[in-house]
Amino acid sequence: MASDADQEGVRVWLVERTYSDDEQNLIILVYATPDGERYFRKERALTSFTDARETTAALEVDADNLGSVDDPDQRERYATEATRMAAEHGPDDPI
């Protein structure tokens, strides 16, 4: 039987938003933990010019869906940005 701790999500904060070079109308969102050591990547296809889905400052994701940030410079950059986002925004704030 799974414990409550096993079912809890990990809060990650938006640290990067880019457009895909390979595919048109694809936005890549990267969220990271405040220590910058783990990340979650989300791809969003824009279906039209009026596509108005909100991107929130933070997400709760399953720990199994997080990758490790191996590059020390990237880890530091993610930590800095995740900490800034957490200080300036609520988790559900649209960004």
Side-chain angles (χ1 to χ4, degrees):
M1 186 161 127
S3 71
D4 288 341
D6 293 337
Q7 296 176 1
E8 289 181 16
V10 175
R11 179 162 289 161
V12 290
W13 294 88
L14 184 65
V15 295
E16 190 173 273
R17 178 176 14 202
T18 58
Y19 292 94
S20 173
D21 291 335
D22 300 333
E23 294 186 43
Q24 288 184 320
N25 301 327
L26 186 67
I27 295 175
I28 300 166
L29 304 171
V30 178
Y31 289 80
T33 55
D35 60 11
E37 293 184 8
R38 298 168 79 195
Y39 75 96
F40 175 75
R41 178 182 160 126
K42 182 175 183 177
E43 295 180 357
R44 179 178 291 164
L46 297 177
T47 56
S48 71
F49 289 112
T50 59
D51 192 349
R53 290 176 286 170
E54 287 187 345
T55 298
T56 59
L59 296 174
E60 292 283 329
V61 298
D62 188 319
D64 291 340
N65 290 331
L66 293 174
S68 295
V69 179
D70 297 326
D71 180 270
D73 292 334
Q74 187 175 39
R75 189 179 312 127
E76 182 178 338
R77 186 170 53 86
Y78 282 1
T80 299
E81 185 61 16
T83 300
R84 184 188 72 78
M85 288 293 284
E88 294 180 8
H89 300 281
D92 296 325
D93 284 356
I95 302 297

